[in-house]
Amino acid sequence: MKFAVQLYSVRDHIENGSDLLDILGKVKEIGFEGVEFAGYQNLPAEELKARCDELGLTVVGTHLGLEDYLPEKLEETLQYSKTLGCKYIGVGGAPHSTYEEAKHTGEVLGAAGVKARELGMDTYYHNHTEEFEDIKDGKNAMEIISEDGCKLEVDTYWSFCAGIDNTEYLKENKDKIVLIHIKDGVDHKPKALGEGENDLEKVVDGANAIGIEWVILENDDPEPCGLDDITRSFKWLKENF
């Protein structure tokens, strides 16, 4: 089991490319072995890759927009991601409220996944809470989006908020799941791990049960700042996995 951090969690420390390169060093110092990007601050892939290699950080994944996976931009996305060393490339969210929206999102990411796999990568979708609501014939957006080959990154706090048993959900969908986000929170407000009401024991049990390689920490609203928050959460990770 290895731990990465979604860099959206430390966005309050990143205003430009220099900040991004610097924050990579800080998350490594905390103890993380990998990162998931949420923007590149206009840096070349080669420069980011060199910095991660220097630090010994694995680029686990990236959150881009759905438009980056459309045919007219896909080649650029794939080449940047390949240079960066991503095994998985995904979105942090995309249209999913109706069957038609969810189907389109799944088709775009599924088609991109076919091309990505030719280069040793794959595509994934990251959920929020509403993706677990039934939208047509008893199916929810997670089911519809993954019908055309797109893999899943399960955010286990938002799934908890949707009433999902994370242990069972991870086990039942292990063939679709490539990454998980671990997160805590109170009343839909994210918190550092161990400071909220998520049933984190079920997340740990589910992650262990399916043998997930990477557990990715994320906090959408860190307090008092991103680095302080993820430092507290990393301590929890080391003590509980």
Side-chain angles (χ1 to χ4, degrees):
M1 187 80 63
K2 292 180 281 191
F3 303 123
V5 61
Q6 164 53 254
L7 293 175
Y8 186 71
S9 308
V10 289
R11 65 193 180 279
D12 55 331
H13 302 282
I14 303 171
E15 294 185 1
N16 51 51
S18 178
D19 289 344
L20 178 55
L21 296 173
D22 182 62
I23 210 71
L24 291 170
K26 291 187 181 337
V27 300
K28 177 65 175 181
E29 288 173 7
I30 291 169
F32 291 97
E33 299 173 81
V35 293
E36 181 180 42
F37 280 97
Y40 304 125
Q41 293 293 328
N42 297 313
L43 290 172
E46 293 82 0
E47 188 173 358
L48 279 175
K49 173 63 172 169
R51 177 61 169 157
C52 289
D53 286 349
E54 173 193 1
L55 295 166
L57 282 171
T58 298
V59 181
V60 179
T62 186
H63 283 187
L64 302 171
L66 188 65
E67 66 276 6
D68 293 302
Y69 297 94
L70 294 173
E72 57 268 29
K73 291 196 68 175
L74 181 58
E75 185 62 27
E76 178 185 346
T77 297
L78 292 177
Q79 289 307 315
Y80 191 103
S81 302
K82 181 67 174 177
T83 300
L84 199 56
C86 290
K87 185 175 179 181
Y88 302 110
I89 54 177
V91 296
H96 61 269
S97 297
T98 65
Y99 174 82
E100 290 74 20
E101 287 181 343
K103 189 65 175 175
H104 175 68
T105 291
E107 287 174 345
V108 170
L109 291 170
V114 173
K115 296 294 186 181
R117 287 190 288 276
E118 294 174 1
L119 298 174
M121 298 180 287
D122 212 339
T123 54
Y124 64 88
Y125 181 89
H126 165 276
N127 65 276
H128 294 85
T129 301
E130 60 271 15
E131 281 92 336
F132 294 96
E133 299 172 1
D134 290 346
I135 54 177
K136 184 176 182 181
D137 300 330
K139 287 186 176 182
N140 61 41
M142 293 290 271
E143 294 173 279
I144 296 164
I145 289 170
S146 60
E147 284 178 341
D148 293 294
C150 175
K151 299 299 193 296
L152 299 174
E153 175 181 64
V154 180
D155 186 304
T156 57
Y157 178 60
W158 298 131
S159 56
F160 168 79
C161 290
I164 299 297
D165 181 311
N166 277 310
T167 300
E168 294 306 311
Y169 187 81
L170 294 176
K171 290 181 354 184
E172 290 169 2
N173 293 277
K174 64 179 181 179
D175 293 335
K176 297 179 179 181
I177 296 167
V178 293
L179 299 168
I180 68 170
H181 273 189
I182 190 165
K183 181 187 297 179
D184 209 347
V186 175
D187 194 24
H188 290 75
K189 178 175 172 49
K191 300 285 187 182
L193 298 182
E195 299 176 10
E197 58 191 9
N198 191 5
D199 192 342
L200 293 172
E201 184 176 344
K202 284 187 175 291
V203 179
V204 173
D205 288 347
N208 285 327
I210 68 173
I212 199 81
E213 181 180 10
W214 286 98
V215 171
I216 303 173
L217 172 70
E218 184 184 42
N219 190 331
D220 310 62
D221 191 18
E223 293 180 345
C225 69
L227 285 173
D228 186 287
D229 188 282
I230 69 170
T231 299
R232 301 199 309 277
S233 287
F234 185 78
K235 182 175 184 291
W236 188 97
L237 289 170
K238 297 299 287 186
E239 291 175 350
N240 289 274
F241 271 91

